[in-house]
C-alpha cells in the first residue's frame, strides 16, 4: 500500500518557522488536485495534499499516538512546509469538521489565507462526483476499485446537493467571521493554471519568479464529455417541475416541516462518509 500524506517518507529535510498557511477550502471534484500539483512544483507554496481525509487522519494519529489531533497536526505541519515556511492543506469542508470547531481548524493553520475552490458547472461537478464515489478513481491514471459507474439519478441529485451545500458552507463560515478569501473557479484555473498559481501566491504574500511555475501536463483530465455527457442529458430531462432545494426559513417566519430536511441532512452525512478517503 502506498504511503499516505502523513507518512514519514514525505517529511521535508529542513526545519523552518511556519510563516504562512494556505487553506485550499475545497469542494469535491473542483480541480483541487490540478492546482495542488502546480503549487507543489513551485517549491514555495507548501506541499499541498489532503491531510485531513479519513485515512490520512488515521495514519496521522497512528504516527503520533501520544498527541491529540491538534498536537499531531502541529507535528505534521512542521514536516510539510516549503523552505520559506509555507504550509498548505487541501481541505474539504466535511473533513474540516474533524477539528471540532472553526476556531480549532483555524488555529491548526498558522497565519492562514483561505482559497475557496469551486466550479461554475456544479452539475458537471456532481456528475463527476457520482462517478468517483462508485469507482473510487479520484484522479486520472490512478487505480480505482475496478467497478464501472452506472447512472443513478438519486446519487447524482445527492452529489449536486452536496457540492452546492459545501461550497455555500465555506462561504458562510468565512463570511460569518468576516474573514477574507479568494475564489478560484475550476474552469478558469484549468484554462490558465499559471495565473491561478500566481493568484494564490499573491494572496499568501509569496513572490514567485516565472521559472517557479511549472504547470505543463500537471495532471490528466478525467471526464471531458461536458454538455454532451449522456448522464447530464438524461438527468436534466428527468429533473421535473417541482422545487427540489430547501433553504433556511427567514428569521421570524414559521419553521418548515422538518421531516424532509432531516432526510436530506442524513443523506448528505452518508455521502460525506463515502467521499472521504
Amino acid at each position: 500500500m502506498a504511503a499516505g500524506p502523513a507518512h514519514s517518507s514525505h517529511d521535508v529535510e529542513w526545519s523552518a518557522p511556519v510563516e504562512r498557511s494556505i487553506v485550499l477550502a475545497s469542494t469535491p471534484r473542483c480541480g483541487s488536485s490540478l492546482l495542488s500539483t502546480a503549487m507543489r512544483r513551485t517549491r514555495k507554496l507548501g506541499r499541498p495534499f489532503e491531510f485531513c481525509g479519513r485515512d490520512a487522519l488515521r495514519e496521522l494519529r497512528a504516527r503520533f499516538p501520544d498527541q491529540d489531533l491538534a498536537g499531531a497536526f502541529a507535528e505534521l505541519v512542521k514536516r510539510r512546509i516549503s523552505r520559506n515556511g509555507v504550509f498548505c492543506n487541501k481541505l474539504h469542508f466535511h473533513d474540516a469538521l474533524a477539528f471540532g470547531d472553526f476556531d480549532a481548524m483555524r488555529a491548526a493553520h498558522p497565519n492562514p489565507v483561505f482559497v475557496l475552490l469551486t466550479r461554475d458547472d456544479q452539475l458537471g461537478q456532481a456528475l463527476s462526483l457520482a462517478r468517483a464515489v462508485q469507482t473510487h478513481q479520484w484522479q486520472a491514471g490512478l487505480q480505482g476499485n475496478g467497478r464501472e459507474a452506472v447512472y443513478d439519478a438519486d446519487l447524482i441529485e445527492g452529489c449536486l446537493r452536496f457540492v452546492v451545500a459545501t461550497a455555500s458552507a465555506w462561504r458562510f463560515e468565512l463570511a460569518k467571521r468576516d474573514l477574507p478569501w479568494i475564489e478560484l473557479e475550476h474552469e478558469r484555473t484549468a484554462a490558465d493554471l499559471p495565473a491561478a498559481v500566481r493568484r494564490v501566491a499573491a494572496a499568501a504574500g509569496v513572490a514567485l519568479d516565472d521559472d517557479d511555475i511549472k504547470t505543463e501536463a500537471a495532471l490528466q483530465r478525467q471526464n471531458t464529455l461536458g454538455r454532451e455527457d449522456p448522464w447530464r442529458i438524461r438527468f436534466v430531462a428527468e429533473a421535473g417541475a417541482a422545487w427540489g432545494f430547501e433553504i433556511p426559513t427567514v428569521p421570524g417566519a414559521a419553521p418548515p416541516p422538518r421531516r424532509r430536511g432531516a432526510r436530506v441532512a442524513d443523506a448528505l452525512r452518508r455521502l460525506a462518509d463515502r467521499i472521504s478517503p
Side-chain angles (χ1 to χ4, degrees):
M1 181 179 294
H7 195 270
S8 59
S9 61
H10 299 304
D11 289 356
V12 298
E13 299 174 354
W14 51 84
S15 176
V18 184
E19 302 289 349
R20 171 67 93 177
S21 295
I22 301 171
V23 179
L24 298 181
S26 58
T27 55
R29 319 307 292 166
C30 67
S32 57
S33 294
L34 178 72
L35 179 63
S36 296
T37 300
M39 289 174 61
R40 280 195 298 275
R41 290 182 173 186
T42 70
R43 301 181 183 273
K44 294 181 179 180
L45 295 174
R47 299 164 65 87
F49 282 101
E50 232 173 280
F51 295 118
C52 296
R54 184 171 50 204
D55 289 347
L57 289 182
R58 186 181 299 117
E59 183 180 54
L60 179 64
R61 289 186 171 102
R63 184 177 178 186
F64 303 104
D66 298 329
Q67 300 271 13
D68 61 10
L69 177 58
F73 196 79
E75 292 294 330
L76 182 71
V77 169
K78 293 187 296 184
R79 293 164 169 82
R80 294 293 182 276
I81 58 173
S82 44
R83 291 184 184 274
N84 58 344
V86 176
F87 170 74
C88 182
N89 187 15
K90 184 174 75 170
L91 188 60
H92 293 325
F93 185 83
H94 60 279
D95 290 334
L97 302 179
F99 288 101
D101 59 41
F102 187 93
D103 286 348
M105 180 277 294
R106 187 179 178 187
H109 299 81
N111 191 22
V113 58
F114 292 91
V115 181
L116 179 58
L117 305 181
T118 60
R119 280 177 69 165
D120 287 343
D121 180 11
Q122 290 186 310
L123 178 54
Q125 185 178 3
L127 293 166
S128 177
L129 180 57
R131 288 184 167 96
V133 298
Q134 294 182 70
T135 65
H136 291 185
Q137 188 177 20
W138 299 100
Q139 291 181 23
L142 296 183
Q143 185 175 4
N145 57 18
R147 298 177 183 173
E148 182 178 350
V150 296
Y151 179 85
D152 183 334
D154 289 338
L155 176 60
I156 295 169
E157 180 170 322
C159 289
L160 182 57
R161 291 182 186 278
F162 191 85
V163 298
V164 170
T166 51
S168 298
W170 272 124
R171 292 190 184 96
F172 174 83
E173 297 295 346
L174 295 171
K176 180 180 178 181
R177 294 161 180 86
D178 201 20
L179 292 173
W181 73 87
I182 67 168
E183 186 164 344
L184 297 179
E185 300 84 3
H186 169 63
E187 291 82 356
R188 294 168 183 78
T189 297
D192 193 346
L193 192 51
V197 173
R198 289 190 185 94
R199 281 195 66 194
V200 175
V206 175
L208 292 181
D209 298 324
D210 289 342
D211 292 343
D212 292 327
I213 303 178
K214 304 174 181 65
T215 60
E216 60 280 358
L219 278 176
Q220 293 177 280
R221 297 188 67 181
Q222 283 184 277
N223 177 22
T224 57
L225 295 173
R227 301 286 169 180
E228 302 305 315
D229 185 346
W231 284 19
R232 178 192 293 268
I233 295 169
R234 179 176 173 182
F235 184 79
V236 171
E238 296 172 352
W243 297 109
F245 195 82
E246 296 182 1
I247 60 173
T249 305
V250 176
R258 296 184 57 83
R259 186 171 58 183
R260 175 174 168 80
R263 288 202 307 271
V264 170
D266 288 343
L268 292 178
R269 281 191 291 270
R270 289 194 299 272
L271 183 57
D273 287 339
R274 292 182 66 181
I275 67 176
S276 183

